[in-house]
């Protein structure tokens, strides 16, 4: 196993952080925040009391989480990798002393931290409250989902040639991961599929945590999240090497 150098990882993370602050990426977390706030504003204007009101705000939180994980975690991560390929800086990195694992960790660190942090910001922003054991469940589920989304973003970025093609490739994947959970309550087949998507798991978990604060840990959901994260990482390694970026 190759030795990891923290200084190289942090150097890559610093470069990625600066790129993340560009207009193409920074708008995505802002959009997720604005969308959640808009949902809270709309639902607060609708007459409702008790569980009905809680369910509406919980749905707003769930939508915001899916939006954040999809747009910040997947889209931004893929776009940053596509930008490096377009500017020919990826090849320079891969022919330097930076190994593949260092590049991978340094690349997903900024979008992962932003995605994970915003998940907590969305709770009060949506008008919801999660505490105690529920917050622990929320933490585990959102961290795994955020990690999975960033890895999928890196995986998609491998197949892009530039930032324009990145949008074309990412869009259908985002539509599936975001719309299937959103419309799962309307169609039974979508509800079944949603149970096996990390976006569906986080959406379902968030709603239950707000409506049913004493919810127990869904072991099936955690297993699915862990498996999808590992599978995405394994696929990234395979295609990363196959595309000739790995240094012997």
């Amino acid at each position: 196993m190759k030795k990891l150098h923290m200084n190289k990882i942090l150097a890559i993370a610093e470069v990625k952080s600066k790129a993340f602050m560009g207009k193409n990426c920074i708008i995505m977390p802002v959009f997720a925040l604005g969308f959640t706030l808009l949902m809270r504003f709309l639902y607060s204007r609708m007459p409702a009391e008790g569980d009905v009101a809680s369910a509406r705000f919980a749905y707003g939180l769930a939508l915001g989480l899916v939006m954040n994980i999809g747009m910040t975690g997947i889209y931004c991560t893929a776009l940053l990798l596509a930008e490096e390929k377009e500017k020919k800086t990826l090849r320079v990195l891969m022919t330097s002393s930076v190994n593949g694992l260092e590049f991978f960790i340094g690349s997903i660190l900024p979008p992962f931290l932003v995605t994970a942090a915003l998940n907590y910001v969305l709770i009060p922003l949506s008008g919801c409250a999660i505490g105690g054991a529920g917050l622990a469940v929320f933490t585990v589920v959102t961290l795994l989902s955020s990690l999975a989304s960033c890895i999928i973003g890196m995986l998609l970025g491998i197949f892009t040639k530039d930032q324009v093609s990145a949008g074309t490739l990412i869009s259908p994947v985002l539509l599936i991961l975001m719309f299937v959970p959103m419309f799962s309550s309307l169609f039974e087949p979508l509800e079944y599929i949603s149970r096996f998507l990390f976006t569906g798991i986080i959406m379902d978990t968030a709603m239950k945590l707000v409506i049913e604060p004493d919810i127990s840990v869904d072991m099936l959901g955690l297993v699915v999240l862990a498996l999808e994260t590992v599978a995405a990482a394994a696929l990234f390694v395979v295609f990363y090497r196959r595309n000739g970026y790995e240094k012997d």
Side-chain angles (χ1 to χ4, degrees), residues 67-199:
M67 191 76 66
N68 179 44
I69 285 176
M71 303 303 289
T72 308
I74 297 177
Y75 184 83
C76 289
T77 306
L79 193 67
L80 290 175
L81 182 54
E83 183 180 5
E84 285 192 333
K85 295 176 73 174
E86 182 179 349
K87 294 180 178 179
K88 310 298 182 182
T89 55
L90 179 60
R91 182 68 65 180
V92 175
L93 276 173
M94 292 303 97
T95 54
S96 68
S97 59
V98 175
N99 63 50
L101 187 56
E102 291 169 344
F103 172 75
F104 175 77
I105 296 174
S107 295
I108 70 170
L109 200 55
F112 169 73
L113 292 177
V114 172
T115 304
L118 284 183
N119 288 333
Y120 291 97
V121 175
L122 292 177
I123 298 176
L125 197 65
S126 65
C128 298
I130 300 176
L135 188 60
V137 174
F138 180 87
T139 298
V140 173
V141 173
T142 55
L143 286 180
L144 282 174
S145 299
S146 299
L147 181 59
S149 68
C150 292
I151 295 175
I152 291 174
M154 290 290 289
L155 179 61
L156 293 174
I158 285 293
F159 297 99
T160 61
K161 294 182 179 180
D162 50 42
Q163 297 181 67
V164 175
S165 63
T168 304
L169 178 63
I170 299 168
S171 295
V173 177
L174 281 180
L175 289 176
I176 293 173
L177 291 175
M178 293 171 63
F179 284 176
V180 169
M182 288 180 182
F183 295 103
S184 61
S185 60
L186 302 178
F187 304 99
E188 188 173 343
L190 292 184
E191 183 179 1
Y192 179 79
I193 296 172
S194 180
R195 294 171 56 192
F196 298 96
L197 296 178
F198 66 93
T199 47

